[in-house]
Amino acid sequence: MQSRSDRGAWALFLPKLVTVLREGYSLRMLRADALAGLTVAIVALPLAMALAIASGVPPERGLVTAVVAGFLISALGGSRFQIGGPTGAFVVIVFSIVHDHGYDGLVIATLMAGIMLLLFGLARLGTFIKYIPYPVVTGFTAGIALIIFSSQVVEILGLRLDDEPPGFLDKWHAIVTNLDGLNGATLGVAALTLAIILGIKRFRPGYPVFLIGITIGAVLVWAAGLPVETIGTRFGGIPRGFEIPSLPVVTWDRIIELFPAAFTIALLAGIESLLSAVVADGMTGRKHRSNCELVGQGVANVASALAGGIPATGAIARTATNVRSGAHSPVSGMLHAVFLLVFVLALAPLASYLPLASLGAVLVVVAWNMSEHDRFRHLLKAPPGDRLVLLVTFGLTVLVDLTVAIQVGVVMAAILFMHRMTRAVEAESGMSLIAEDVNDLTETDRAIYEPGADHLGAGGETAVYRINGPFFFGVAGKLSDVLDTIATPPRLFIIDMTNVPVIDATGVHALEGVIVRCHRHGTRVILAGVKPQPRSVLQGMGLEIGFSPTVEAALPPPRPAAAVGV
């Protein structure tokens, strides 16, 4: 029979869709979800195509991803309102993989990333992925936004590059050296589309600005016969329905070769999906299941790769649109995918007329929103360490590699955190004087010696060392340093751990070193006020030492007064 704890553990992986259906799903909720799903589908249609083209793959790859992965992310995920599909965060890494390894390499990397996300969720790492430092997230997000903008300059200017380089500096060098090929009509269509999007967004923010913008651009190009490249002229249009591609040959060498890229996809998908779920929670007051969300993301990415799509994750802007449109449950996200499929089946021939310049204008707006320029400027006012993490992550994302940027950013942020924790942990030490005759103590001495004193005096036979804060490897050296300040070793060394919530292995090692040094000088060591977590760790690592509930209980009793002769 399954235990209650086992049932509770598996409840963490129960999709929100199941929870909603158990609570009761009414026709009124279905109508609200259908309207929200239709609204999001209208927003997602141009984005799916634009993001696919920016990633170096045909537009139908983005639509496949939005339909297949979008449906599964909502159906199997841990959020009531999550909308999944291709996002801007993947443009850089997908373009690089396709450029270096072809679409077959992208399929293998996406499959691997999906399996990694499944393992992340089953290992309950969802909680930890959410702890990626804010300057790191802002830095690489702003870097990706700049790269997306750079990738669309070619489309907006109508330049023809035989082999567009993936590197940021190489790309801009190619743009500058080919400016003589600028197409004025293409630039005009892009500018008009951008102006329409920004104008409608300002005065009618509830309208589907992207769809309206590219539709007007398409009508203009068709009616005026402008020499502007479209989806039809470059890709031959979008097929009605989807063809399942054959799976690429997977070898051990290719797995090793693509592992870094797959891990980056998995990490980005995990971070963005959980950030999107947190945003939805903040807007609705609900609570998502982070590990279930990762499992759903993993299944969705595996299915997207098998169906001929690209990597997918939760889309923050589309999720927020879903919430604002009145969604009640994951059914809205599932219906958004169904509506997209209907659009593809019914409107595929019309997509051939969409100008690539108009889609480029859409991605310029996406890049601007993704850059989070307000938060970036706000972080530039943060302490120097946070500014350094932000700028290094941003610079490495743009100039080197997204994987390197995240790794270096997280390591720098961790070192900064440890430095701050080391400075935050306070250490107080003192000596308690044992008088020959307690009756001869002065009032000051008695206050120092008697239990409950806030400060302990210097000299004598008992030393008390008080630690305030987590006792981890960053502060372990302080405990050894205190012994060096004691001229005469005391008989009793009390370490007050009342204010120590946690301890790690390095802290235990430091304690062992102190005990050895003290025993060498004949000093007895007692730990006072040890909380459950530190005590469990100390005992689990076999540390042989005396414990006392309080410092007062550990202090030796006052010596009796000397007899006075008559």
Side-chain angles (χ1 to χ4, degrees):
M1 185 176 178
Q2 191 179 36
S3 67
R4 181 176 298 179
S5 61
D6 291 336
R7 292 196 300 270
W10 282 110
L12 297 174
F13 303 101
L14 186 69
K16 281 291 185 177
L17 177 63
V18 176
T19 302
V20 168
L21 295 179
R22 284 179 175 177
E23 293 174 351
Y25 192 73
S26 65
L27 182 60
R28 179 183 61 83
M29 292 180 179
L30 177 60
R31 285 196 298 266
D33 283 337
L35 181 59
L38 178 61
T39 303
V40 177
I42 294 173
V43 173
L45 180 65
L47 283 178
M49 293 185 288
L51 290 168
I53 294 171
S55 300
V57 297
E60 63 265 23
R61 303 289 189 196
L63 293 171
V64 168
T65 307
V67 172
V68 176
F71 185 90
L72 292 175
I73 286 172
S74 295
L76 303 178
S79 171
R80 289 175 182 259
F81 308 101
Q82 186 81 281
I83 299 295
T87 66
F90 289 131
V91 167
V92 179
I93 186 66
V94 170
F95 186 91
S96 178
I97 294 173
V98 173
H99 183 273
D100 297 337
H101 306 284
Y103 180 70
D104 285 355
L106 177 63
V107 171
I108 296 173
T110 306
L111 283 170
M112 293 168 59
I115 294 172
M116 290 179 190
L117 284 165
L118 274 168
L119 296 177
F120 290 169
L122 294 175
R124 304 184 188 182
L125 299 181
T127 303
F128 299 101
I129 290 180
K130 291 188 293 186
Y131 295 149
I132 300 293
Y134 182 58
V136 175
V137 174
T138 304
F140 79 69
T141 302
I144 291 171
L146 180 57
I147 295 175
I148 292 175
F149 168 76
S150 301
S151 71
Q152 296 310 299
V153 172
V154 174
E155 302 292 355
I156 290 173
L157 299 180
L159 303 179
R160 294 183 178 273
L161 303 180
D162 294 333
D163 185 15
E164 184 178 341
F168 178 80
L169 296 179
D170 293 337
K171 189 186 298 291
W172 275 101
H173 180 264
I175 291 172
V176 172
T177 55
N178 288 275
L179 279 178
D180 55 346
L182 184 147
N183 185 324
T186 299
L187 179 59
V189 170
L192 175 64
T193 303
L194 183 61
I196 291 171
I197 291 173
L198 297 179
I200 297 177
K201 193 174 182 180
R202 178 179 177 85
F203 297 105
R204 292 291 186 271
Y207 286 16
V209 293
F210 293 151
L211 189 60
I212 294 174
I214 63 173
T215 300
I216 293 176
V219 171
L220 175 64
V221 170
W222 171 77
L226 298 177
V228 175
E229 198 169 16
T230 65
I231 288 180
T233 59
R234 179 177 295 185
F235 301 103
I238 295 177
R240 287 178 179 268
F242 303 126
E243 296 182 3
I244 304 299
S246 58
L247 289 178
V249 177
V250 181
T251 64
W252 184 248
D253 290 338
R254 296 213 78 184
I255 290 176
I256 295 176
E257 182 183 29
L258 291 166
F259 183 86
F263 182 77
T264 302
I265 292 174
L267 187 61
L268 279 177
I271 292 172
E272 187 162 7
S273 65
L274 295 182
L275 285 176
S276 179
V278 169
V279 169
D281 289 348
M283 296 177 68
T284 62
R286 295 285 187 171
K287 185 71 175 177
H288 74 280
R289 297 177 183 135
S290 57
N291 294 304
C292 178
E293 182 65 26
L294 292 182
V295 171
Q297 296 284 338
V299 173
N301 275 277
V302 169
S304 178
L306 295 177
I310 59 179
T313 185
I316 297 176
R318 274 162 274 173
T319 299
T321 301
N322 188 41
V323 173
R324 287 195 293 265
S325 300
H328 279 275
S329 73
V331 174
S332 63
M334 298 163 63
L335 289 176
H336 129 271
V338 173
F339 285 129
L340 278 175
L341 179 60
V342 173
F343 292 161
V344 172
L345 297 176
L347 306 177
L350 297 179
S352 300
Y353 296 98
L354 298 179
L356 298 180
S358 295
L359 293 176
V362 168
L363 287 184
V364 167
V365 177
V366 170
W368 176 255
N369 295 334
M370 187 178 178
S371 68
E372 297 184 323
H373 52 93
D374 291 337
R375 297 182 182 181
F376 195 96
R377 290 198 304 267
H378 181 68
L379 276 174
L380 290 177
K381 301 176 183 179
D386 293 311
R387 292 202 303 267
L388 182 62
V389 171
L390 171 72
L391 295 176
V392 168
T393 305
F394 174 77
L396 290 176
T397 299
V398 174
L399 301 176
V400 182
D401 180 73
L402 185 61
T403 307
V404 174
I406 294 176
Q407 292 171 349
V408 173
V410 170
V411 170
M412 288 182 62
I415 293 174
L416 178 64
F417 170 77
M418 289 183 289
H419 173 68
R420 288 172 174 168
M421 286 297 297
T422 301
R423 296 179 61 184
V425 175
E426 300 176 354
E428 304 171 5
S429 62
M431 301 292 289
S432 188
L433 177 64
I434 306 300
E436 289 295 328
D437 189 340
V438 107
N439 292 322
D440 294 335
L441 290 174
T442 65
E443 289 299 320
T444 301
D445 291 334
R446 192 179 302 277
I448 291 174
Y449 177 72
E450 288 179 349
D454 292 330
H455 302 283
L456 300 175
E461 301 180 354
T462 302
V464 177
Y465 185 79
R466 183 179 296 111
I467 305 172
N468 295 320
F471 190 27
F472 68 112
F473 63 90
V475 298
K478 289 186 177 182
L479 186 57
S480 298
D481 293 342
V482 73
L483 295 180
D484 298 331
T485 63
I486 301 175
T488 302
R491 293 185 180 180
L492 177 62
F493 189 35
I494 302 173
I495 302 176
D496 184 4
M497 299 181 65
T498 304
N499 298 323
V500 177
V502 292
I503 189 172
D504 67 359
T506 308
V508 176
H509 178 72
L511 280 175
E512 290 175 335
V514 168
I515 292 170
V516 170
R517 290 181 62 183
C518 287
H519 287 176
R520 192 179 299 134
H521 295 92
T523 300
R524 182 186 173 204
V525 180
I526 295 179
L527 301 183
V530 183
K531 294 186 179 298
Q533 192 276 347
R535 190 181 189 109
S536 175
V537 173
L538 292 167
Q539 292 176 337
M541 296 185 68
L543 188 67
E544 297 182 0
I545 193 170
F547 291 94
S548 174
T550 63
V551 173
E552 289 79 3
L555 288 171
R559 296 181 182 179
V564 179
V566 179

